[in-house]
Amino acid sequence: MPEEELTPVLQEGATSIEVPLNAEEINAFCKYAQLLRERNKVMNLTNIVDDQGIAMRHFVDSLTIVPYIKDEQKKQGRENLSIIDVGTGAGFPGIPVKVKLPKLKLILMDSLQKRINFLEDVAKEINLDGVTTIHSRAEDAGRDKRYREKYDIA
């Protein structure tokens, strides 16, 4: 995906929700969008594949929770909160939030291994540290004491 098409929509959208993005974050989103489009050709990740849709409906919509997470970080007096994204699919909202708040410990849970593989590739490609993936159905993980009530934010 050409950066020049995604970038202005992403910048304007993020600024409009008062979560401005720096050049490094925008670059990560452009790489993420490229991977999303490439993999979507061979596996069903999303029906939204146009630049404006990806920027607004996937990335900016995901970032709308950033102010609430920042509030929780202030309440708890630390930035490295753990956040689990249950049924993450193509990584929304988890990965966009992690791009903006890199000190979060992000856990991505999904029931399909092929999506988990995609998410691991995305995290590696855009250099996200502190990302864990769990291949599980939410109903099963909810009964598993390894995962139940272990996160600051779900």
Side-chain angles (χ1 to χ4, degrees), residues 5 9 16 24 30 48 106 109 120-122 126 134 147:
E5 296 174 23
V9 176
S16 75
E24 186 179 334
C30 288
I48 301 167
L106 176 63
M109 180 184 291
E120 289 170 350
D121 291 346
V122 168
I126 63 175
I134 299 171
Y147 306 124

Side-chain angles (χ1 to χ4, degrees), residues 59-123:
F59 298 157
V60 174
D61 282 358
S62 293
L63 293 172
T64 60
I65 64 173
V66 166
Y68 303 100
I69 295 169
K70 284 183 173 184
D71 287 347
E72 188 63 24
Q73 287 173 321
K74 285 179 187 168
K75 281 183 200 169
Q76 294 202 26
R78 58 191 177 91
E79 293 183 25
N80 65 339
L81 299 180
S82 61
I83 182 169
I84 186 166
D85 182 353
V86 179
T88 189
F92 308 115
I95 290 179
V97 169
K98 175 73 172 171
V99 167
K100 186 62 192 169
L101 301 173
K103 293 186 179 174
L104 288 176
K105 295 175 188 171
L106 176 63
I107 299 87
L108 300 169
M109 180 184 291
D110 201 85
S111 63
L112 290 181
Q113 186 63 51
K114 66 182 181 176
R115 285 196 293 246
I116 292 293
N117 296 343
F118 167 73
L119 297 168
E120 289 170 350
D121 291 346
V122 168

Side-chain angles (χ1 to χ4, degrees), residues 12-95:
E12 290 172 29
T15 300
S16 75
I17 62 165
E18 299 180 5
V19 182
L21 300 172
N22 64 36
E24 186 179 334
E25 293 162 346
I26 288 172
N27 184 48
F29 281 116
C30 288
K31 286 181 184 176
Y32 186 8
Q34 182 180 5
L35 286 167
L36 181 66
R37 286 185 124 164
E38 285 172 10
R39 292 286 184 87
N40 200 59
K41 292 175 185 173
V42 294
M43 61 186 282
N44 184 28
L45 292 167
T46 180
N47 290 327
I48 301 167
V49 292
D50 63 287
D51 295 341
Q52 184 163 355
I54 289 172
M56 292 302 295
R57 295 183 59 202
H58 287 321
F59 298 157
V60 174
D61 282 358
S62 293
L63 293 172
T64 60
I65 64 173
V66 166
Y68 303 100
I69 295 169
K70 284 183 173 184
D71 287 347
E72 188 63 24
Q73 287 173 321
K74 285 179 187 168
K75 281 183 200 169
Q76 294 202 26
R78 58 191 177 91
E79 293 183 25
N80 65 339
L81 299 180
S82 61
I83 182 169
I84 186 166
D85 182 353
V86 179
T88 189
F92 308 115
I95 290 179

